[in-house]
């Protein structure tokens, strides 16, 4: 049986999509959550010196979206056709573009607040509008069944709503998608038992 080891900090962050895919597919893996204090020692040993990384029988994969795509491909959560897979990838990149704007590492609190306020006021509404239109009246972003980009969306919206309670409140279809993902039994079970972290 393939041995999976996912290494990240004790956060949902960029590892959570992989954790959702593992949970949904019922695949066991080592959820290796490291302390920030241990990172400087570990960092030089990690390919490309960033987390998360996934070890697959000892082979490292870096980049969170590549990790998610790989496990999704292995478990049939990446879209049914080549076209659907491209749609899933494009949506994931769109969500990632938004998430990557946030100054997660900024130490200056005032500057951080200004950047975040600007994203919520001036950037996020257009992205939300586009995503809501894309979803339309369908159950899932792509095709007839859930894919990993629905998970990625739920993870992103949950974190952004915790930062700005009004985020996506004018987007009922996107909120309904969030609830639909959270209601999947394996995901609900994971949300219930995962470590509680701020991000
Ligand atoms: N594009 C990369 C970004 C990886 C990244 O920036 N990881 C951060 C944590 S979210 C990290 O390793 N920070 C520690 C450091 O840079 O030393 C991905 O999606 O995996």
């Amino acid at each position: 049986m393939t041995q999976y080891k996912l290494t990240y900090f004790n956060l949902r962050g960029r590892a959570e999509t992989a954790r959702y895919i593992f949970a949904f597919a019922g695949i066991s893996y080592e959820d290796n959550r490291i302390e920030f204090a241990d990172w400087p020692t570990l960092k030089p040993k990690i390919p490309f010196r960033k987390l998360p990384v996934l070890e697959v029988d000892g082979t490292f994969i870096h980049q969170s979206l590549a990790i998610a795509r790989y496990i999704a491909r292995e478990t049939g959560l990446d879209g049914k056709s080549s076209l659907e897979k491209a749609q899933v990838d494009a949506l994931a990149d769109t969500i990632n573009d938004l998430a990557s704007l946030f100054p997660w590492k900024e130490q200056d609190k005032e500057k951080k607040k200004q950047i975040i306020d600007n994203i919520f006021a001036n950037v996020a509404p257009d992205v939300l509008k586009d995503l809501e239109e894309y979803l339309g009246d369908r159950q899932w972003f792509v095709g007839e069944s859930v894919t990993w980009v629905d998970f990625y969306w739920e993870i992103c919206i949950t974190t952004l709503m915790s930062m700005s309670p009004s985020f996506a409140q004018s987007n009922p279809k996107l909120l309904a998608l969030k609830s639909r993902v959270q209601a999947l039994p394996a995901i609900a079970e994971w949300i219930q038992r995962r470590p509680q972290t701020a991000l």
Side-chain angles (χ1 to χ4, degrees), residues 14 65 90-104 115-116 118-129 131 152-153 156-157 160-161 163 167-168 174:
R14 291 185 179 275
L65 294 186
L91 282 166
D93 286 346
T94 297
I95 296 168
N96 195 48
D97 282 353
L98 176 63
S100 298
L101 292 176
F102 285 83
W104 304 109
I115 298 171
I116 290 175
N118 181 53
I119 297 169
F120 281 124
N122 299 317
V123 183
D126 282 349
V127 181
L128 289 169
K129 183 172 169 289
L131 287 171
Y152 188 28
W153 171 246
C156 185
I157 190 175
L160 297 184
M161 282 173 70
M163 294 163 67
F167 180 74
L174 294 176

Side-chain angles (χ1 to χ4, degrees), residues 8-9 11 13-15 36 39-40 43 46 48-53 62-67 96 100 104-105 152:
Y8 193 57
F9 303 104
L11 300 169
R14 291 185 179 275
F36 287 110
W39 175 233
K43 183 167 174 155
I46 298 290
F48 298 91
R49 297 173 301 284
K50 297 273 184 201
L51 296 179
V53 288
H62 66 288
Q63 288 289 351
S64 57
L65 294 186
I67 292 167
N96 195 48
S100 298
W104 304 109
K105 290 184 192 161
Y152 188 28

Side-chain angles (χ1 to χ4, degrees), residues 27 32 52 115 130 152 164 178 194:
I27 292 176
N32 183 34
I115 298 171
D130 290 343
Y152 188 28
S164 170
K178 167 181 176 281
R194 70 184 169 189

